[in-house]
Amino acid sequence: AIQTLAWFSFSFVAQAVVFILARSFYALQDTKRPMYASLIGTALTLLLAILLPLTSLFSSSGPNDVASLAAAYAFGMWTQAVLLLLWLPTFWKGNLTAFFASAMRVVSIGVVSGFTTWLTLQFVGEGLKLDRIFDIDFNGIGTDTVLKLCIQGGLASVIGVLTYIVLARALAMDELHWVLKVRGDQNDTTATK
């Protein structure tokens, strides 16, 4: 189940990109390219749904492993996103250097935040075993009850979100400033009513 969720989460950005770029083509009255991208992405998804369960990465869970279907879907969505981005007219592409620089910042911060979240899950749940290097041996709270799992997940979520916000502020991400500005504008509008 965790593997399946991980592969689906890999496709979230591609789904958002396809959603936005398809509408860009519709605004240009071009419905063919989104359809072609969708057909190619779907064909690749079907092909990978047949082939991936046979590979060593997924075969350990049996030929009907659900994670392989999620992986096939993710690759199909990314194929659609890349095709639509490449097919955009030049005047709509804007400054791709700035776009990719921003995308790399978001991905880098996401990876660090994800790692911090995973580390917190391990630390709170299983503990920290460094007795081979230092004289430190911290036992986690465990994961044998629902309450302990909720505490573990809650702390990991908070640490992950805080890490993301701190890194986004440190790297002066425009996206974070925009989100905070929109949130502030909504609060001002609510306060005046």
Side-chain angles (χ1 to χ4, degrees), residues 3-190:
Q3 244 192 342
T4 305
L5 180 62
W7 280 110
F8 269 129
S9 65
F10 176 61
S11 72
F12 290 162
V13 174
Q15 290 177 51
V17 169
V18 168
F19 182 81
I20 293 168
L21 290 182
R23 275 140 190 82
S24 301
F25 282 100
Y26 300 155
L28 293 171
Q29 298 182 350
D30 181 358
T31 57
K32 290 182 181 177
R33 291 185 189 201
M35 182 189 70
Y36 294 150
S38 179
L39 288 174
I40 293 169
T42 302
L44 180 65
T45 300
L46 291 172
L47 181 66
L48 290 176
I50 295 168
L51 296 178
L52 284 180
L54 305 175
T55 63
S56 60
L57 184 63
F58 298 103
S59 63
S60 61
S61 301
N64 297 321
D65 186 23
V66 179
S68 64
L69 300 178
Y73 176 76
F75 285 118
M77 288 306 299
W78 274 105
T79 301
Q80 288 184 55
V82 169
L83 286 174
L84 289 174
L85 186 62
L86 292 175
W87 289 343
L88 266 181
T90 307
F91 64 90
W92 275 51
K93 288 182 181 176
N95 188 348
L96 285 180
T97 305
F99 170 77
F100 284 118
S102 177
M104 286 308 298
R105 275 200 308 270
V106 170
V107 168
S108 301
I109 291 172
V111 167
V112 172
S113 300
F115 179 72
T116 307
T117 304
W118 175 81
L119 211 58
T120 306
L121 281 171
Q122 296 301 312
F123 180 73
V124 174
E126 304 300 324
L128 185 64
K129 308 275 191 260
L130 293 176
D131 51 353
R132 290 183 184 171
I133 304 168
F134 305 106
D135 192 20
I136 299 172
D137 192 10
F138 172 78
N139 292 323
I141 62 172
T143 56
D144 53 337
T145 66
V146 173
L147 178 62
K148 290 178 181 178
L149 285 172
C150 289
I151 292 171
Q152 181 191 28
L155 280 174
S157 300
V158 169
I159 296 292
V161 169
L162 287 176
T163 302
Y164 193 93
I165 291 171
V166 167
L167 290 175
R169 289 195 71 147
L171 294 176
M173 279 181 56
D174 295 334
E175 295 82 1
L176 179 65
H177 175 70
W178 180 80
V179 167
L180 294 175
K181 183 179 182 309
V182 168
R183 185 73 186 142
D185 291 346
Q186 287 176 347
N187 288 340
D188 292 343
T189 306
T190 307

